[in-house]
Every structure is written in structure tokens, then in C-alpha cells.
Amino acid sequence: MNKIFLCLLFLGFVSLAYSGPSNVIHGVIRDKDTGIPLPNANIQIVGTYRGTITNNSGRFKLEVREYPVRIRVRYIGYRSTEFTVNTDSPEDINIDLQPIVIQMPEIVVTDEDPAVEIMRQVIRKKQQWRRKLENFRGDAYIRFVLENDTSIVVLSESTSEFFWHSKFGSREIIKSKKITRNIDPDFPAMSASGFHNFYDDELFIHQSRIIGPTHPDAIKHYKFKLVGHRSLDEKIVFDIAISPKNKLQPALTGQLSVLDEEFAMLEIDVRPNDAVRFPFPINNFNITFKQQFSNYGGEFWLPVDIREDGSIKIKMPGLLEFPNIKFYKLCRLTNYSLNTVLPDTLYRETEKKRIVYRNEAKQDTLITDNIQTIPLTQDEKTAYRNLDSTVTLIESFKPRGVLAGMVKMDVRVEDENGKTLDSLSSGKTIKHKMKPRFSPQIRFNRVDAYHLGVNCGLEFAKRFDLSFNGAYKTGLKSWAWGVGGTMYFQADKKAFLTVTHSRETDSRYDSDIYPSYFNSILVLSGLTDYFDYYRNQKTEILAGKRFSVLNSRITIGIHNEHHSPLEKQTDENWLNQKIHQPENPAVRDATLRSVSLKAQFGHDLIPISISEQKRILLYIEHSAKDVLSSAFDYTLYRLTADWRIPTFLKRRFMTNVLDVRLIAGTATGTPPIERYGALDVSTGLYSPFGIFKTLRKRPFASDRFCAMFWEHNFRTVPFEIIGLKWLADNNIGVILHGASGRTWMPKRDPSVADYKLYVLDKWHHEIGISLNGLFGYFRIDVTRPVEDSSYYFGLSVARIF
């Protein structure tokens, strides 16, 4: 399936379509007493599965194959009418429907609302006829309208042939499309695959899994209340309010209508309940769904249409605000064929595409082929006439605020042939060019002082990548540099060989949590330098292979390094604090040669944990004096695992989750201190996930260590339960967190026996609670060690996802 990327709007809109003959009847349907147009009235060709609906102005257009043709018009609360059209005519057919009132029979009052028994019958009937429905095909038409605060920005129409199979799902053939001139004509046509049939047991709405109102267990999950009645074809239509019994689970709220005797759902008007929530910076996401059903004189109740009306507000208080994003999607299904023979080619096991584009599906074929559509409103006609390349999406949704100038908005899509388009209005494809890479390299610590440099790179022939970096260190008054090259053995760059040589200042222990730029801010703010340092002149050869399965990769490395000690050079800070940074301990001046194996599943870790992280990393390194002429004999084993486990309310988009981070390491022999692992601690007020929040200043280092960090994100659920709706609506949630770990006293290298180590030589346990999502950006942690009653406060970046 072609992917549609709308980075600006956080949206992926999908659609449908239809084709038909050229004889057209058209007109308007009104209330006979008031003359008011009736929107979404149902027009059907008698004896067929073909029909249409009126637009919001009561107007309709219906293609017919031949004359005479018998037409039926129906609208709940009105007397249905039938009439015959004998010939084609340019004149409108004006149809006036008579409103009727039917006497409701007496209802016996019981403890159970009558609507509950009505819905039991609807569910029972649906199970009977749905079991007989193996497949169907139909013609589909969709209209998609995108607006900002003032006007229509995009208008699109599509038609398709739609197929559904009870076991194998949906397939679709796009036939034609039309779109406003401000959008690239190669923009993919909309498809029917993403639309909802509210007769389905399960509905997937905005990443939430929702039980449908006719699910076998719907009575357990919904409150049904009879709120009124109308009539249709001399039968009673029951209007039933629907609301969830459990407000924490994603569900529907609104109203549906059921036809008496048939016990069939005729229409539904619902929205997701408040449990369907979206993360910051989406402040509001409001959407309603309306759908009608018809049996077309048979036993199967099928969708006639689906209408979605929604708006989105994206806002970062005080910093950034986008105009309102409003959208309207209308889909009409018609010309059904039931339990028929579907094309084998669409359901082959090797066929992964759910949407197929016909070559003849060109721009504006909706007009040239006179395909059946629903009449446009006046505003939509104006949009087709006036929107051109001067009205871009980027300009239409240009943000306001302090950060507006820093936002680079771009909208990129793939066309129907899989080619990437530069923008929605250019029609040009992106060409792969050789572009040099250039980025500044600036940091500060107590040994280098200011490290001022650049990173440069150049990719060429799609198989080779060269890199160079150079920097001047103002404290050491010396230069650092590095060169490297990578050769890819495959066009997809999954197999590679990298060779690098560099002379640089390295930190004695690595940290996944605190990057070098963060430590620079600490030192320049007058706080203690978190790391120790040494000079490393090294040559590395790395050979690796990436695998699509499980997003994994394996890298084998050969390392030749010469380590030498460095001394502290400065106590400087920008706040002119009179502080004394600790001396930089000396490492052994020696050569280290080793081989390594690194296996990783998942993506590289992101230091700021605002979203899900899933990664398992195994690292083994071996150094031998005899075999490799190294100054050291050791073997290191390291394991790091970051994982997320859904826990409660799994039907929600933002489900409750448990995030776990496990780090462990051991060694045989005597590794140098610069190969020790470390357990991270808090640097002061900042307390991100993955550290001991009640331990401060310097990390605990050893060749043997183990720790587990965890936090359970209850999101907004606690405040929803106790009724603090304002906090929940502002995405403020609760996180319970904790950590356990220790290090063991390492075997010391005699040449650096005086090196001061921070060792956590017994198990440390801590537990705490966090208020997450303050102002959208932050979280406050309160943590205490299990061993005593002291409390520690911390601040970090909010868990948004």
C-alpha cells in the first residue's frame, strides 16, 4: 500500500470511490410542510443495491442505466415515497416528503430500560444475517474537505471499486480522482479501506480499539436508553441513547436508531468518549461519525454512507500555535453485489497491496467520465474554481508564536508509483544528490575547556561515505581530529565495512542518559563535571550487517588504542561561581588491542525518554596480551535492555504502560578502569528515567554491576477516576517509579591503585511518584530510598507518549 505522509497535520486520511453510467436524474428533497431541505435523505433504485444520498442542501444526483426507472426516497420520521422516471430531463425533480407521527405502543415499565431488550434483538438478528455474508463488492465515492480557520484549503474526490471478504479483509481498485489545483496532481487518490462500518464488532478509531454497539457483549459495555421514537414505512423507529458503562475504556457515546420488527440499526450518530485521548501538543481532537444502513429490500443491512466531521488544535502554550485544522469526510457506498465471486488476483497470498491504482485513473476523470457523485456545496464549487498553487498547505497552516520561526514545515508524499514528491504542489520528484554534510562540534569540560570543531562528511556513488572531524581544545591547547570511511556492500546499505582513525579526548565511562552537551551545561553552570577523561588515539575496523527481521544488527570490531592520562585544566564557569572541580584521575599509559562483538535489536536509545524505547544490546570484548600484544588481559560482557509492556486499559491509544531498563555487566581478567561500566545517578535537580534519583554527583563504576530501573505510567487515569477532569483534559498524569542496583568491588590494576572509585558495594533500592505533563513539557519526581525516610525532588522532561 502506498504510504501517505502528512507531517504537518499529524493525520493519515483515507478514502473511496465509484463509477457508473451516464443517464442522470437530479433534484432536491424537502419537508412538505416547511420546505426545509432534508440532508442525507436516502434515494434508492427499487429492486437494486444502487442509490445515493442528498447533500446538506437536500440536493441529489443519481445515475441510472436505463428508463423507465422506479425510485424510492426515504427519511426517518417521514412517509417514504416511490415514483417512476420515464425519460432523461435537465429539470430538477422536486420531492416533498410528508412528516408523520406514529403512536407509540404502551411500554411495560421494568427495572431495565426498554432499549436494552431492543438492542439484544438487534445483536441477535445481526449474528444471524452476518453469518451468511461471506463477501461483497460495491462502488464507492468519497469527498474529503480540509479547512483552516477561514476557508477550504484542500478538496478531493475519488471513486473506486471496493471488495470485502469475511476472512481476508478489504481490497480496492481506485478508478478516478479529482483534487484542487493547489495539490500535486500525482497526490494519491483516497481509498475506502480506512472507513468504519458501525455494524462491525470491533472498531479501530484513532489508534483506540472500541467495542461496537452490536458486539455480542455490547450490553455489558454500554448503557442503552430509549429517548424517543419516529417512523419509517409505517413502522416504529426507536431512538436510543448510547453511553459507556466504564468511562475509562474507549467507547462510543451518542445516539442510534433501530427499526422495529426488523430490529435493524438504521442510523448512528456518535463520537468517541473522553477515554480516547491524544498526547501533547494536541490540545483538542473532536470528531463525530454519522452513518446510515439499508437492506435494499433484502436481509443484509449494509452501509449507505459514512460522514466524519472533526477538528484538531495543536498548541504549545506560550511557544507555538497552529490554526485550527478542520476536516470533513463523506463516503457513499452503492451498487452492492453480495456473496459473489471476487477477483482471485486481489486475494493472492503474495498480494500485499490493499489498494490498486488503475493506470487510467487520471486527474479530473470524475468530470470527463460523468461518474456518480454527490452535489457540491457552493463553498466547495468555489474552492475548485479558486484554489491554485498560490494557496499552499504550508501557508494555510502557518503557526504563530515564539518558536514559529524555528518550525520548518514540509509536506511530502509518495505518488501512486511510489516516487517521493518534493511537495504537494510541485509535481517534482526528489533526486538523490551528493551533498556534503557539515555540523558544528562544541562542548566544554574541565579538561578540554572549550572543544571547538566541525564534523564533515560526503556520500558518493551510494556505496561510499567519507567523514572528517577536527577541533581545537582551548584548555589543552591542542588539536583533536578523526578520519573515517564506510563502504556499503549492498544498495540498501545493510552490509558495511567502516575504518576510522582518530586522536580524541574520551570519557572514562559512557552514559546513555547524559550526552556531552548536557554535561557541558552542567560545568558551565558551576556544577561538578560528571565524567573523567583520558586521551585516546585509536584505529578501529568495524564490519556489520543489518537485518530487517526484528530490526537487528550485528557488528564485529577490531580495536587498536593507545591511552594516556590528561590533567584538569580549568574551573571556569559562566556564573563565576567559586568552585573547585575535582582533579582528573590518571589512567595507565598503555596500548589496548581488542576484538569485539555487538548484537542489537531495536533502535538506538534516545537519551530523553519522551516515548517508547525497545532495545536489547549485547556487547562482548576480548583483549589478550599474548595473542593481540595488548597491555591488558580481560573479557567484558555487557547487557542493556530497554522495553515497554502494555498493562491496563489496552484498548486505549494511550494505554497504561510499564517501562523497564536493565543494565548489567561482568568481566574476567583485569580490564582497565576506562573499560568499567557505570550506574548513572542524579546530577542535582535533573532526574531522568534510567538513573538513581536519590544518589547524587558522580556515577558508580566497576567491572561488575547490575541495575534495573522501572516506571509505570498510569497516564491521566487516576485523575479521571477521582473526577479531576481539568487535570486529565490537560494531559497531566501519574507515574510510579523505582530502581534497584549495585556494583561490586573490581579487581584493581596495580598501576592505578590510587585511582578513586565510587563503588555502590551493597544493594540500593528506591521508589517514588511523579506528576507528569506539567505545562505539557515537564514532570516532577518525588523519590525516597527504601532504607531511610529522606525525600528527593527532581525535574525532567515529560513522558509524552
Side-chain angles (χ1 to χ4, degrees):
M1 181 188 293
N2 287 331
K3 296 180 180 177
I4 303 176
F5 297 104
L6 291 177
C7 302
L8 165 67
L9 308 179
F10 293 83
L11 297 171
F13 293 116
V14 289
S15 66
L16 353 123
Y18 164 86
S19 67
S22 57
N23 299 319
V24 181
I25 61 175
H26 47 82
V28 61
I29 299 175
R30 298 184 178 91
D31 182 300
K32 185 175 182 179
D33 293 343
T34 66
I36 296 175
L38 298 178
N40 308 306
N42 204 316
I43 302 101
Q44 178 192 346
I45 299 176
V46 177
T48 73
Y49 284 96
R50 298 189 60 244
T52 190
I53 60 174
T54 58
N55 67 7
N56 289 337
S57 300
R59 300 195 64 83
F60 72 92
K61 183 169 67 172
L62 179 63
E63 283 77 21
V64 298
R65 291 192 171 93
E66 59 185 3
Y67 296 106
V69 63
R70 189 71 175 166
I71 303 297
R72 177 186 297 124
V73 179
R74 69 176 193 174
Y75 198 85
I76 296 178
Y78 292 77
R79 180 171 284 108
S80 298
T81 185
E82 290 189 12
F83 59 92
T84 300
V85 180
N86 294 305
T87 60
D88 194 12
S89 171
E91 300 296 326
D92 277 345
I93 299 175
N94 295 312
I95 304 165
D96 295 326
L97 296 185
Q98 178 66 53
I100 58 173
V101 177
I102 190 168
Q103 184 64 37
M104 184 76 171
E106 291 185 4
I107 297 176
V108 179
V109 178
T110 65
D111 292 338
E112 183 179 79
D113 192 285
V116 176
E117 179 58 29
I118 293 171
M119 290 307 300
R120 285 197 187 99
Q121 296 299 324
V122 172
I123 294 168
R124 181 181 62 83
K125 288 270 192 176
K126 173 225 175 159
Q127 290 175 330
Q128 291 175 355
W129 62 257
R130 195 72 179 262
R131 206 176 292 124
K132 303 175 186 177
L133 185 61
E134 181 180 343
N135 65 62
F136 65 74
R137 68 152 300 283
D139 292 324
Y141 162 80
I142 186 173
R143 180 180 304 156
F144 168 58
V145 182
L146 183 66
E147 301 180 51
N148 58 16
D149 291 318
T150 58
S151 62
I152 293 176
V153 176
V154 175
L155 173 58
S156 165
E157 295 175 279
S158 308
T159 66
S160 72
E161 190 173 5
F162 184 76
F163 305 88
W164 176 86
H165 194 285
S166 59
K167 292 182 180 179
F168 306 117
S170 63
R171 297 292 189 272
E172 193 168 5
I173 299 175
I174 303 295
K175 291 185 172 181
S176 60
K177 62 182 181 181
K178 182 179 180 182
I179 199 164
T180 46
R181 290 174 296 150
N182 60 331
I183 303 300
D184 193 292
D186 289 329
F187 185 80
M190 299 293 179
S191 73
S193 303
F195 279 85
H196 309 290
N197 180 353
F198 282 86
Y199 246 121
D200 287 343
D201 290 343
E202 297 270 355
L203 300 163
F204 295 89
I205 297 177
H206 302 306
Q207 307 300 316
S208 295
R209 192 158 54 97
I210 294 177
I211 289 177
T214 61
H215 187 283
D217 295 326
I219 303 297
K220 298 178 182 178
H221 294 274
Y222 287 104
K223 299 176 184 177
F224 295 102
K225 182 179 180 181
L226 186 62
V227 294
H229 68 279
R230 292 174 288 170
S231 64
L232 180 68
D233 300 332
E234 308 303 327
K235 294 181 180 179
I236 297 173
V237 175
F238 301 107
D239 290 328
I240 298 173
I242 175 175
S243 60
K245 290 183 176 179
N246 183 349
K247 295 183 179 180
L248 298 180
Q249 290 286 5
L252 302 173
T253 182
Q255 183 172 301
L256 55 85
S257 300
V258 174
L259 182 63
D260 194 16
E261 299 180 18
E262 296 282 350
F263 290 105
M265 188 164 59
L266 288 178
E267 65 179 21
I268 189 168
D269 182 352
V270 290
R271 64 172 179 81
N273 68 338
D274 290 341
V276 180
R277 295 182 176 274
F278 293 86
F280 178 84
I282 299 177
N283 293 79
N284 290 294
F285 196 145
N286 301 309
I287 188 168
T288 60
F289 299 93
K290 297 180 181 180
Q291 189 167 39
Q292 299 181 93
F293 303 90
S294 175
N295 65 348
Y296 297 93
E299 63 175 319
F300 301 107
W301 290 84
L302 304 169
V304 173
D305 64 356
I306 175 71
R307 287 153 281 144
E308 299 181 17
D309 198 344
S311 64
I312 303 172
K313 185 63 178 179
I314 301 172
K315 182 179 180 180
M316 300 172 68
L319 298 177
L320 192 68
E321 181 177 358
F322 286 87
N324 284 320
I325 301 168
K326 303 175 186 177
F327 60 92
Y328 174 72
K329 294 191 282 184
L330 164 65
C331 167
R332 191 274 326 277
L333 291 164
T334 187
N335 201 24
Y336 285 103
S337 297
L338 309 181
N339 293 331
T340 185
V341 178
L342 301 183
D344 293 336
T345 55
L346 292 177
Y347 286 96
R348 289 174 181 168
E349 291 185 5
T350 57
E351 180 57 61
K352 296 182 180 180
K353 290 185 177 181
R354 291 184 175 271
I355 305 173
V356 177
Y357 293 90
R358 283 188 175 175
N359 292 332
E360 63 268 22
K362 303 297 184 182
Q363 170 78 350
D364 284 343
T365 52
L366 278 167
I367 294 176
T368 57
D369 296 345
N370 198 24
I371 297 294
Q372 177 181 355
T373 64
I374 295 173
L376 299 172
T377 66
Q378 189 57 49
D379 286 343
E380 290 166 345
K381 293 178 181 178
T382 302
Y384 268 138
R385 185 169 58 250
N386 294 343
L387 286 178
D388 56 26
S389 59
T390 62
V391 185
T392 66
L393 280 178
I394 292 176
E395 286 297 322
S396 299
F397 293 99
K398 192 172 183 179
R400 305 182 297 270
V402 176
L403 298 181
M406 302 173 61
V407 176
K408 180 182 179 182
M409 301 201 315
D410 195 9
V411 184
R412 292 174 183 265
V413 300
E414 290 181 357
D415 67 11
E416 294 161 2
N417 297 316
K419 293 182 178 180
T420 304
L421 305 179
D422 274 331
S423 70
L424 295 185
S425 58
S426 69
K428 299 177 181 178
T429 57
I430 296 175
K431 295 182 179 180
H432 295 280
K433 298 180 180 180
M434 290 193 301
K435 293 184 178 180
R437 302 185 303 274
F438 177 89
S439 62
Q441 191 183 73
I442 303 172
R443 58 177 181 263
F444 185 90
N445 59 58
R446 72 185 190 279
V447 172
D448 291 339
Y450 290 100
H451 171 105
L452 306 174
V454 295
N455 286 327
C456 302
L458 178 66
E459 179 184 354
F460 58 95
K462 297 185 180 181
R463 293 292 182 94
F464 300 94
D465 193 304
L466 298 179
S467 62
F468 170 81
N469 64 78
Y472 182 73
K473 302 175 181 294
T474 61
L476 296 173
K477 295 181 173 57
S478 65
W479 289 88
W481 51 268
V483 295
T486 299
M487 179 176 67
Y488 300 101
F489 297 102
Q490 298 171 319
D492 57 11
K493 299 185 178 181
K494 289 185 176 180
F496 64 89
L497 176 68
T498 298
V499 180
T500 62
H501 182 70
S502 62
R503 183 178 184 269
E504 180 58 279
T505 300
D506 268 353
S507 57
R508 189 179 62 78
Y509 34 79
D510 294 326
S511 172
D512 289 333
I513 308 301
Y514 298 123
S516 60
Y517 68 80
F518 176 80
N519 185 65
S520 300
I521 296 172
L522 285 181
V523 180
L524 290 170
S525 300
L527 299 177
T528 302
D529 197 330
Y530 190 74
F531 296 98
D532 294 332
Y533 306 92
Y534 67 99
R535 175 169 285 138
N536 191 358
Q537 183 165 323
K538 62 182 177 181
T539 301
E540 288 185 325
I541 302 174
L542 304 174
K545 171 71 175 177
R546 297 182 179 89
F547 302 92
S548 300
V549 178
L550 300 178
N551 187 28
S552 55
R553 61 184 183 268
I554 294 177
T555 306
I556 298 173
I558 301 174
H559 313 271
N560 181 31
E561 307 178 14
H562 185 82
H563 301 175
S564 54
L566 293 171
E567 295 182 355
K568 184 187 78 168
Q569 301 297 321
T570 182
D571 291 317
E572 179 185 349
N573 63 85
W574 285 352
L575 301 180
N576 294 321
Q577 298 285 332
K578 294 182 179 180
I579 64 165
H580 182 73
Q581 293 283 358
E583 296 299 322
N584 188 57
V587 302
R588 178 178 173 184
D589 194 327
T591 297
L592 184 154
R593 296 188 177 95
S594 65
V595 293
S596 65
L597 171 66
K598 179 180 178 181
Q600 178 170 324
F601 159 82
H603 296 285
D604 292 334
L605 188 75
I606 301 173
I608 300 177
S609 301
I610 64 172
S611 62
E612 175 183 28
Q613 311 247 22
K614 283 190 174 182
R615 179 188 71 150
I616 298 175
L617 173 64
L618 175 66
Y619 181 77
I620 302 172
E621 183 180 37
H622 177 72
S623 179
K625 292 181 179 179
D626 296 338
V627 178
L628 299 174
S629 299
S630 176
F632 305 95
D633 266 317
Y634 67 87
T635 303
L636 295 177
Y637 304 91
R638 300 278 192 266
L639 174 66
T640 303
D642 295 274
W643 209 254
R644 168 167 286 187
I645 305 167
T647 55
F648 310 120
L649 302 173
K650 295 180 182 180
R651 287 181 171 273
R652 295 175 72 142
F653 169 39
M654 303 293 287
T655 182
N656 286 194
V657 292
L658 175 66
D659 288 291
V660 179
R661 177 172 171 81
L662 172 68
I663 57 175
T666 188
T668 59
T670 307
I673 57 175
E674 53 267 39
R675 283 297 199 265
Y676 287 0
L679 303 181
D680 284 307
V681 301
S682 175
T683 58
L685 184 62
Y686 184 58
S687 57
F689 176 67
I691 69 167
F692 287 107
K693 300 175 188 285
T694 63
L695 302 176
R696 302 295 169 99
K697 301 299 183 183
R698 304 301 298 278
F700 294 95
S702 177
D703 60 347
R704 293 174 296 159
F705 57 93
C706 179
M708 185 178 73
F709 307 90
W710 60 269
E711 62 181 33
H712 189 277
N713 193 343
F714 291 95
R715 304 199 187 274
T716 60
V717 172
F719 297 123
E720 294 176 47
I721 293 174
I722 63 179
L724 296 179
K725 191 173 184 299
W726 182 87
L727 293 174
D729 289 346
N730 283 276
N731 280 318
I732 295 176
V734 174
I735 296 175
L736 186 67
H737 60 82
S740 299
R742 66 163 297 178
T743 62
W744 284 263
M745 189 62 68
K747 300 175 184 178
R748 300 293 292 271
D749 184 345
S751 63
V752 288
D754 59 342
Y755 195 113
K756 183 179 179 180
L757 287 175
Y758 294 86
V759 179
L760 188 62
D761 58 357
K762 65 177 183 178
W763 285 97
H764 174 81
H765 308 280
E766 61 186 36
I767 193 167
I769 192 169
S770 305
L771 199 60
N772 185 58
L774 297 176
F775 305 105
Y777 312 108
F778 307 108
R779 60 182 275 184
I780 292 178
D781 305 318
V782 181
T783 315
R784 58 161 290 179
V786 174
E787 296 85 357
D788 62 55
S789 59
S790 302
Y791 288 89
Y792 295 80
F793 293 87
L795 182 70
S796 58
V797 179
R799 281 271 193 182
I800 296 177
F801 298 98

